Amino acid sequence: MAIVGFIVITTLLNILGINVADKANYVLMAFQLLVLVFFVALAIGNVVSANGGGGLASGQPFFNDTSSFATVSAGAAIAAYSFLGFDAVTTLTEETINPRRTVPRAIMLVALIGGGIFVAVSYVTQLVHPGGVFEGSASAASSIALQIGGELFGAVFLAELVVAQFASGLAAQASASRLMYAMSRVSVLPKAVFGKLNEKFHTPVANLVITGVISLIALFLDVATSTSFINFGAFTAFTLVNVSVVFHYVRQHRAGHQLNPVSYVVVERDRQSERCSTQSKPTPCPWARKRASRTSVRPIAMLVFASDLDAA
């Protein structure tokens, strides 16, 4: 029933609009960051008490007897999935002020700040518990939290994990609903279902409800199975997106358009969303139809950032 409750709440928050969802997500993310700060501080205290101040400066987390190119490469391939979510910023382009400037900034901020947090937390975790062998891999983080902070911090850390999943779901649902709306606008999905906005809240209610219903599948999956689905889906999606960019570049090149392969293939821009955000004719963007101001970099970065934080 907890999963159903989470899905109902995230759906309602997203229906009320991006600003409401952002404010809720801002509070949730602040709690996550606070817990992570305490986690790092307690881990440092644990290391200092056991090995002195010199124990904080160690190359062991980076190089040790068990590390090799093969193991590091395999670990990096899995760790890459920790960044799932930063690309969701692009689906909120049409609700963003000056998207050409704001969206790339948000993407870079999410990736860089999230990456910094991953490195810092992983480093102190390895100082506390060297290696990757745990009694239960699924509860490794909670076990370390208990080790460095006792029962009280262990309970707080568990609450943070729950909050992280909720915040991640909130951002993912917002992203998926906008993506389906965009696909309906180019007739990839039926406009009659996926292309409608609520007159009061100006949000794709049907898309949000559909996403919520599909999310109920989580009731019948264990952690290992759901993780496999996520990893496979992410790998397939990223592969197809990159193939599409290359294919579009080749087609434009054959049509006589001279495109720089570095700036185009490596850093592709969403020109269609930019046009929609800046043009008022012939078809204004529905998201901004009755809004005097749209989302700045803070809301979209904060909203999507939570979907990265839960992996830290």
PDB file of all heavy atoms in Angstrom, residues 15 31 76 99 113-114 132 148 179 183 196 200 225 246 270 277 280 290 303:
ATOM      1  N   ILE A  15       0.217  16.937 -11.211  1.00  0.00           N
ATOM      2  CA  ILE A  15      -0.973  17.497 -11.848  1.00  0.00           C
ATOM      3  C   ILE A  15      -1.123  18.973 -11.499  1.00  0.00           C
ATOM      4  O   ILE A  15      -1.522  19.799 -12.341  1.00  0.00           O
ATOM      5  CB  ILE A  15      -2.233  16.709 -11.433  1.00  0.00           C
ATOM      6  CG1 ILE A  15      -2.254  15.340 -12.139  1.00  0.00           C
ATOM      7  CG2 ILE A  15      -3.516  17.488 -11.787  1.00  0.00           C
ATOM      8  CD1 ILE A  15      -3.403  14.448 -11.705  1.00  0.00           C
ATOM      9  N   PHE A  31      16.439  17.668   2.527  1.00  0.00           N
ATOM     10  CA  PHE A  31      16.578  16.635   3.553  1.00  0.00           C
ATOM     11  C   PHE A  31      17.620  15.609   3.145  1.00  0.00           C
ATOM     12  O   PHE A  31      18.460  15.188   3.971  1.00  0.00           O
ATOM     13  CB  PHE A  31      15.227  15.958   3.793  1.00  0.00           C
ATOM     14  CG  PHE A  31      15.285  14.800   4.750  1.00  0.00           C
ATOM     15  CD1 PHE A  31      15.527  14.998   6.097  1.00  0.00           C
ATOM     16  CD2 PHE A  31      15.109  13.500   4.291  1.00  0.00           C
ATOM     17  CE1 PHE A  31      15.592  13.937   6.983  1.00  0.00           C
ATOM     18  CE2 PHE A  31      15.167  12.425   5.164  1.00  0.00           C
ATOM     19  CZ  PHE A  31      15.406  12.638   6.518  1.00  0.00           C
ATOM     20  N   ALA A  76      32.600   0.860 -13.507  1.00  0.00           N
ATOM     21  CA  ALA A  76      32.234   2.133 -14.129  1.00  0.00           C
ATOM     22  C   ALA A  76      30.988   1.984 -14.996  1.00  0.00           C
ATOM     23  O   ALA A  76      30.142   2.883 -15.050  1.00  0.00           O
ATOM     24  CB  ALA A  76      33.397   2.654 -14.964  1.00  0.00           C
ATOM     25  N   PRO A  99      15.504  28.648 -22.812  1.00  0.00           N
ATOM     26  CA  PRO A  99      15.955  27.252 -22.743  1.00  0.00           C
ATOM     27  C   PRO A  99      17.315  26.989 -23.382  1.00  0.00           C
ATOM     28  O   PRO A  99      18.042  26.111 -22.945  1.00  0.00           O
ATOM     29  CB  PRO A  99      14.847  26.489 -23.465  1.00  0.00           C
ATOM     30  CG  PRO A  99      14.202  27.502 -24.346  1.00  0.00           C
ATOM     31  CD  PRO A  99      14.272  28.798 -23.596  1.00  0.00           C
ATOM     32  N   ILE A 113      27.547  18.303 -10.144  1.00  0.00           N
ATOM     33  CA  ILE A 113      27.304  18.266  -8.701  1.00  0.00           C
ATOM     34  C   ILE A 113      26.997  16.838  -8.247  1.00  0.00           C
ATOM     35  O   ILE A 113      27.498  16.377  -7.214  1.00  0.00           O
ATOM     36  CB  ILE A 113      26.146  19.210  -8.322  1.00  0.00           C
ATOM     37  CG1 ILE A 113      26.522  20.653  -8.650  1.00  0.00           C
ATOM     38  CG2 ILE A 113      25.822  19.091  -6.837  1.00  0.00           C
ATOM     39  CD1 ILE A 113      25.388  21.638  -8.430  1.00  0.00           C
ATOM     40  N   GLY A 114      26.173  16.142  -9.027  1.00  0.00           N
ATOM     41  CA  GLY A 114      25.882  14.747  -8.692  1.00  0.00           C
ATOM     42  C   GLY A 114      27.138  13.899  -8.700  1.00  0.00           C
ATOM     43  O   GLY A 114      27.359  13.082  -7.795  1.00  0.00           O
ATOM     44  N   GLY A 132      34.467  -4.379  -1.419  1.00  0.00           N
ATOM     45  CA  GLY A 132      33.068  -4.398  -1.832  1.00  0.00           C
ATOM     46  C   GLY A 132      32.306  -5.608  -1.352  1.00  0.00           C
ATOM     47  O   GLY A 132      31.284  -5.973  -1.942  1.00  0.00           O
ATOM     48  N   ILE A 148      28.558   3.760  11.558  1.00  0.00           N
ATOM     49  CA  ILE A 148      29.158   5.060  11.862  1.00  0.00           C
ATOM     50  C   ILE A 148      28.287   5.935  12.759  1.00  0.00           C
ATOM     51  O   ILE A 148      28.790   6.845  13.425  1.00  0.00           O
ATOM     52  CB  ILE A 148      29.471   5.838  10.564  1.00  0.00           C
ATOM     53  CG1 ILE A 148      28.173   6.164   9.806  1.00  0.00           C
ATOM     54  CG2 ILE A 148      30.444   5.067   9.709  1.00  0.00           C
ATOM     55  CD1 ILE A 148      28.393   6.997   8.557  1.00  0.00           C
ATOM     56  N   LEU A 179       7.444  13.982 -22.038  1.00  0.00           N
ATOM     57  CA  LEU A 179       7.960  13.279 -23.207  1.00  0.00           C
ATOM     58  C   LEU A 179       6.820  12.713 -24.044  1.00  0.00           C
ATOM     59  O   LEU A 179       6.822  12.815 -25.279  1.00  0.00           O
ATOM     60  CB  LEU A 179       8.903  12.156 -22.764  1.00  0.00           C
ATOM     61  CG  LEU A 179       9.554  11.336 -23.875  1.00  0.00           C
ATOM     62  CD1 LEU A 179      10.388  12.226 -24.776  1.00  0.00           C
ATOM     63  CD2 LEU A 179      10.408  10.225 -23.284  1.00  0.00           C
ATOM     64  N   MET A 183       5.790  13.634 -27.920  1.00  0.00           N
ATOM     65  CA  MET A 183       5.647  12.591 -28.942  1.00  0.00           C
ATOM     66  C   MET A 183       4.280  12.655 -29.607  1.00  0.00           C
ATOM     67  O   MET A 183       4.142  12.391 -30.807  1.00  0.00           O
ATOM     68  CB  MET A 183       5.875  11.220 -28.312  1.00  0.00           C
ATOM     69  CG  MET A 183       7.303  10.991 -27.842  1.00  0.00           C
ATOM     70  SD  MET A 183       7.526   9.430 -26.954  1.00  0.00           S
ATOM     71  CE  MET A 183       7.311   8.263 -28.302  1.00  0.00           C
ATOM     72  N   LYS A 196      -3.374  16.265 -24.740  1.00  0.00           N
ATOM     73  CA  LYS A 196      -4.300  17.181 -24.078  1.00  0.00           C
ATOM     74  C   LYS A 196      -3.724  17.708 -22.771  1.00  0.00           C
ATOM     75  O   LYS A 196      -3.045  16.984 -22.039  1.00  0.00           O
ATOM     76  CB  LYS A 196      -5.631  16.472 -23.802  1.00  0.00           C
ATOM     77  CG  LYS A 196      -6.430  16.157 -25.064  1.00  0.00           C
ATOM     78  CD  LYS A 196      -7.791  15.567 -24.701  1.00  0.00           C
ATOM     79  CE  LYS A 196      -8.643  15.336 -25.947  1.00  0.00           C
ATOM     80  NZ  LYS A 196      -9.988  14.801 -25.598  1.00  0.00           N
ATOM     81  N   LYS A 200      -7.212  23.988 -16.290  1.00  0.00           N
ATOM     82  CA  LYS A 200      -6.925  24.740 -15.076  1.00  0.00           C
ATOM     83  C   LYS A 200      -5.446  24.731 -14.726  1.00  0.00           C
ATOM     84  O   LYS A 200      -4.862  25.785 -14.423  1.00  0.00           O
ATOM     85  CB  LYS A 200      -7.739  24.175 -13.911  1.00  0.00           C
ATOM     86  CG  LYS A 200      -7.529  24.930 -12.603  1.00  0.00           C
ATOM     87  CD  LYS A 200      -8.407  24.356 -11.493  1.00  0.00           C
ATOM     88  CE  LYS A 200      -8.198  25.129 -10.186  1.00  0.00           C
ATOM     89  NZ  LYS A 200      -9.050  24.599  -9.084  1.00  0.00           N
ATOM     90  N   THR A 225      14.835  -7.620 -10.210  1.00  0.00           N
ATOM     91  CA  THR A 225      14.133  -7.593 -11.497  1.00  0.00           C
ATOM     92  C   THR A 225      13.880  -6.173 -11.963  1.00  0.00           C
ATOM     93  O   THR A 225      14.099  -5.837 -13.139  1.00  0.00           O
ATOM     94  CB  THR A 225      12.790  -8.343 -11.383  1.00  0.00           C
ATOM     95  OG1 THR A 225      13.031  -9.671 -10.934  1.00  0.00           O
ATOM     96  CG2 THR A 225      12.091  -8.388 -12.738  1.00  0.00           C
ATOM     97  N   VAL A 246      23.242  10.735 -34.814  1.00  0.00           N
ATOM     98  CA  VAL A 246      24.175  10.462 -35.906  1.00  0.00           C
ATOM     99  C   VAL A 246      23.443  10.342 -37.231  1.00  0.00           C
ATOM    100  O   VAL A 246      23.870  10.893 -38.261  1.00  0.00           O
ATOM    101  CB  VAL A 246      24.988   9.180 -35.613  1.00  0.00           C
ATOM    102  CG1 VAL A 246      25.856   8.809 -36.805  1.00  0.00           C
ATOM    103  CG2 VAL A 246      25.843   9.363 -34.366  1.00  0.00           C
ATOM    104  N   ASP A 270      18.283  20.953 -28.922  1.00  0.00           N
ATOM    105  CA  ASP A 270      16.884  20.718 -29.245  1.00  0.00           C
ATOM    106  C   ASP A 270      16.311  21.975 -29.902  1.00  0.00           C
ATOM    107  O   ASP A 270      15.714  22.819 -29.260  1.00  0.00           O
ATOM    108  CB  ASP A 270      16.097  20.382 -27.972  1.00  0.00           C
ATOM    109  CG  ASP A 270      14.707  19.868 -28.294  1.00  0.00           C
ATOM    110  OD1 ASP A 270      14.291  20.011 -29.450  1.00  0.00           O
ATOM    111  OD2 ASP A 270      14.063  19.336 -27.381  1.00  0.00           O
ATOM    112  N   SER A 277       9.564  27.546 -27.733  1.00  0.00           N
ATOM    113  CA  SER A 277       9.636  28.397 -26.558  1.00  0.00           C
ATOM    114  C   SER A 277       9.678  29.873 -26.907  1.00  0.00           C
ATOM    115  O   SER A 277       9.347  30.718 -26.089  1.00  0.00           O
ATOM    116  CB  SER A 277      10.887  28.048 -25.743  1.00  0.00           C
ATOM    117  OG  SER A 277      10.851  26.720 -25.325  1.00  0.00           O
ATOM    118  N   SER A 280       5.439  32.772 -31.006  1.00  0.00           N
ATOM    119  CA  SER A 280       4.041  32.891 -30.590  1.00  0.00           C
ATOM    120  C   SER A 280       3.098  32.535 -31.726  1.00  0.00           C
ATOM    121  O   SER A 280       1.907  32.372 -31.524  1.00  0.00           O
ATOM    122  CB  SER A 280       3.751  34.327 -30.122  1.00  0.00           C
ATOM    123  OG  SER A 280       4.032  35.245 -31.161  1.00  0.00           O
ATOM    124  N   LYS A 290      -0.855  30.365 -20.521  1.00  0.00           N
ATOM    125  CA  LYS A 290      -1.474  31.247 -19.552  1.00  0.00           C
ATOM    126  C   LYS A 290      -0.555  31.517 -18.371  1.00  0.00           C
ATOM    127  O   LYS A 290      -0.991  31.748 -17.259  1.00  0.00           O
ATOM    128  CB  LYS A 290      -2.791  30.659 -19.051  1.00  0.00           C
ATOM    129  CG  LYS A 290      -3.880  30.626 -20.110  1.00  0.00           C
ATOM    130  CD  LYS A 290      -5.203  30.172 -19.504  1.00  0.00           C
ATOM    131  CE  LYS A 290      -6.303  30.154 -20.559  1.00  0.00           C
ATOM    132  NZ  LYS A 290      -7.598  29.732 -19.990  1.00  0.00           N
ATOM    133  N   LEU A 303      14.465  19.692  -9.502  1.00  0.00           N
ATOM    134  CA  LEU A 303      13.501  18.624  -9.705  1.00  0.00           C
ATOM    135  C   LEU A 303      14.178  17.362 -10.185  1.00  0.00           C
ATOM    136  O   LEU A 303      13.912  16.260  -9.723  1.00  0.00           O
ATOM    137  CB  LEU A 303      12.429  19.070 -10.701  1.00  0.00           C
ATOM    138  CG  LEU A 303      11.291  18.084 -10.967  1.00  0.00           C
ATOM    139  CD1 LEU A 303      10.493  17.853  -9.679  1.00  0.00           C
ATOM    140  CD2 LEU A 303      10.375  18.602 -12.062  1.00  0.00           C
TER     141      LEU A 303
END
